[in-house]
Amino acid sequence: MSDLSQIVKAYDVRGTVPDQWDERVAEALGAAFTQVLNGSGEPGEAVLIAHDMRATGPGLAAAFAAGVRAEGRTVIELGLASTDMLYYASGSLNLPGAMFTASHNPAQYNGIKMCRSGARPIGQDSGLAEIRDRAQARLDEGGSAPAGEPAAPAERRDLLPDYAAYLRKLVDLASIRPLKVVVDAGNGMGGYTVPTVLGDAALPALPLEIVPLYFELDGTFPNHEANPLDPANLVDLQRAVVEHGAEIGLAFDGDADRCFVVDERGEPVSPSAITALVAARELAKHPGSTVIHNLITSNAVPEIIREHGGEPVVARVGHSFIKAEMARTNAIFGGEHSAHYYFRDFWFADTGMLAAMHTLAALGEQSQPLSVLASEYERYVASGEINSTVRDQAAKVAEVRAAYPEAEADELDGLTLRFPDGAWFNLRASNTEPLLRLNVEAPTMERMMALRDEVLDRVRR
């Protein structure tokens, strides 16, 4: 019997196929999702369904669609899509949706990211727990996917051209200086969306020379995992940027909702710097607006937001928290340390492509290399996220807190301690694994390394 508590996470469904979940589970989740929609008066009579390039995606999506139809709603099948394409469809058509993807996880994984109409997020506190419980009850009662091939979807739509045209309206790239751009799609959905968004012959030509890496859609990830958060997966992009003399490199994760940036030297540009850069651009168009950032982004982010006349608001890590806070404050933009970027003009949803386009525009509107441009937004030294396996996470966090009585404490998301010299660290437990995640920032490399090593020693002792 499937235990859905093992695969229904804080923000989505995620697990290995077929041992943790399969088409029978997908059918139950589709039915439960629709029941929750119907019970909450969700508008529309259809559900949007899309999948990434993983081999298990079409079968799982078809089973989910069968569950949707069993509960009285029709299905609009989008086929292959990036996650932000699904959000575009949900926002522009004002319909709920389900995206089958496991994002950056290895090939044996798959998952579902679900949203209400208008790309509104579904997380544990906004419907996902109820979906889990309803699906579990259906499975426990013996519910299963219909035998044989499921009925054809009510409708099939290709929204890639519309998605590309919409993004082009939000960021003008037509008048920037010529740029050579290396893009590493990691055999993920960036290889599907980038050619259309940045190079579609049906749209006005852009002054961009795209050098593609791993654009072939392949859910086995034969070259490297589609997880740019791991430095090992940026090596090919870094090398290619230098070899081709490119001005910038872009790396997308598997479902292309996150984008990482590399400068002309092959050096990574931190997501905090990209958050600050995009915030400055959005605030120039919408002075005085609110910008959301999570508490692990650099201290430079709220500083730069204020310097550009904006109001910084901190939120917990995780897209459902960021999206909820953006909706509450009507924020113009939001950024996370994990390279998720959210836009009010994109229904408060995250889109790596739009963040990439803003970065290209900022670079192409002036003559400096990206390393110089980015240095304006990089003010401190950060450790990056460091994981430690810890059985009793709460006890260890309490022990670390007691070791620094002089620090100012914040427990919005884990434990954040701030010191008088501007250094800080955040220690928080993973939602799904016996891990503590540490992020450290300080004014100098020496201070960051000393604080990092000191805290790690306490955590791992």
Side-chain angles (χ1 to χ4, degrees):
M1 191 65 64
S2 300
D3 179 5
L4 298 191
S5 67
Q6 300 300 307
I7 66 168
V8 179
K9 311 297 184 181
Y11 322 119
D12 58 17
V13 175
R14 197 81 60 95
T16 55
V17 180
D19 53 320
Q20 286 189 305
W21 72 299
D22 56 16
E23 293 179 10
R24 178 169 166 269
V25 174
E27 186 271 344
L29 288 166
F33 175 60
T34 311
Q35 289 170 359
V36 170
L37 296 177
N38 293 342
S40 60
E42 191 73 20
E45 298 179 350
V47 171
L48 301 158
I49 301 179
H51 61 83
D52 68 12
M53 66 289 144
R54 294 168 190 266
T56 56
L60 292 170
F64 187 93
V68 171
R69 291 195 298 272
E71 295 298 324
R73 291 204 179 211
T74 59
V75 168
I76 297 176
E77 175 59 63
L78 303 179
L80 282 169
S82 61
T83 291
D84 64 331
M85 268 186 65
L86 185 278
Y87 292 149
Y88 164 77
S90 176
S92 62
L93 300 176
N94 197 35
L95 290 172
M99 174 70 196
F100 282 76
T101 179
S103 185
H104 61 278
N105 286 124
Q108 67 270 30
Y109 284 79
N110 213 325
I112 319 173
K113 295 180 179 179
M114 290 173 268
C115 65
R116 297 180 185 273
S117 57
R120 290 174 294 145
I122 292 179
Q124 283 282 12
D125 299 329
S126 53
L128 191 55
E130 183 181 355
I131 292 169
R132 177 199 64 211
D133 293 344
R134 286 176 176 269
Q136 187 70 68
R138 186 182 182 91
L139 291 168
D140 292 345
E141 292 167 2
S144 62
E149 291 296 318
E155 185 178 350
R156 177 70 179 262
R157 291 196 195 181
D158 176 13
L159 291 183
L160 179 57
D162 295 341
Y163 158 81
Y166 181 76
L167 293 180
R168 289 277 199 102
K169 291 177 182 177
L170 297 181
V171 180
D172 178 18
L173 293 172
S175 57
I176 65 172
R177 65 183 170 94
L179 296 174
K180 181 181 287 189
V181 185
V182 180
V183 179
D184 185 345
N187 299 109
M189 293 311 300
Y192 181 71
T193 57
V194 168
T196 300
V197 176
L198 300 182
D200 189 350
L203 295 170
L206 299 178
L208 302 173
E209 178 185 348
I210 304 297
V211 179
L213 286 182
Y214 315 137
F215 272 36
E216 303 79 16
L217 300 183
D218 189 337
T220 68
F221 308 113
N223 296 289
H224 60 72
E225 288 187 354
N227 179 17
L229 195 59
D230 183 345
N233 297 323
L234 288 177
V235 171
D236 291 352
L237 175 65
Q238 292 170 298
R239 182 185 304 115
V241 166
V242 174
E243 288 178 353
H244 288 275
E247 282 84 5
I248 185 173
L250 304 173
F252 291 91
D253 66 347
D255 60 336
D257 64 348
R258 288 190 296 160
C259 181
F260 287 72
V261 179
V262 167
D263 70 21
E264 80 287 351
R265 306 167 303 170
E267 294 296 323
V269 179
S270 78
S272 286
I274 299 300
T275 295
L277 180 153
V278 177
R281 289 177 54 82
E282 291 285 65
L283 287 168
K285 294 188 296 182
H286 305 279
S289 296
T290 297
V291 176
I292 307 295
H293 63 99
N294 70 25
L295 80 172
I296 301 176
T297 53
S298 171
N299 277 345
V301 171
E303 291 174 2
I304 291 167
I305 291 168
R306 290 189 186 96
E307 290 166 9
H308 285 80
E311 178 63 33
V313 173
V314 67
R316 291 181 62 186
V317 173
H319 77 92
S320 61
F321 300 116
I322 296 281
K323 290 174 181 176
E325 196 64 12
M326 287 190 70
R328 186 186 70 81
T329 61
N330 197 34
I332 188 65
F333 173 64
E336 292 199 88
H337 73 296
S338 56
H340 281 286
Y341 305 104
Y342 308 79
F343 295 83
R344 187 170 72 194
D345 289 340
F346 202 76
W347 300 277
F348 300 116
D350 44 326
T351 163
M353 188 68 72
L354 188 52
M357 293 171 71
H358 271 285
T359 306
L360 291 171
L363 177 60
E365 288 168 359
Q366 47 86 65
S367 59
Q368 298 181 109
L370 182 55
S371 59
V372 175
L373 176 63
S375 68
E376 300 175 17
Y377 304 97
E378 299 263 21
R379 297 179 177 179
Y380 305 101
V381 181
S383 65
E385 195 154 87
I386 305 167
N387 291 324
S388 302
T389 301
V390 177
R391 289 186 180 178
D392 191 341
Q393 296 144 305
K396 184 59 69 173
V397 170
E399 177 186 329
V400 171
R401 172 68 186 98
Y404 300 99
E406 77 282 9
E408 176 187 337
D410 181 337
E411 296 184 3
L412 172 67
D413 193 356
L415 174 68
T416 302
L417 295 184
R418 299 186 179 276
F419 299 86
D421 64 354
W424 62 270
F425 70 83
N426 173 268
L427 190 64
R428 76 189 204 285
S430 165
N431 286 323
T432 57
E433 301 171 275
L435 299 176
L436 282 178
R437 307 191 190 280
L438 174 67
N439 284 268
V440 183
E441 184 178 83
T444 67
M445 178 66 75
E446 293 76 16
R447 172 65 167 135
M448 186 280 291
M449 292 174 64
L451 184 57
R452 176 199 65 192
D453 294 348
E454 186 177 276
V455 177
L456 280 177
D457 179 63
R458 294 184 184 279
V459 168
R460 296 173 175 177
R461 187 177 297 169

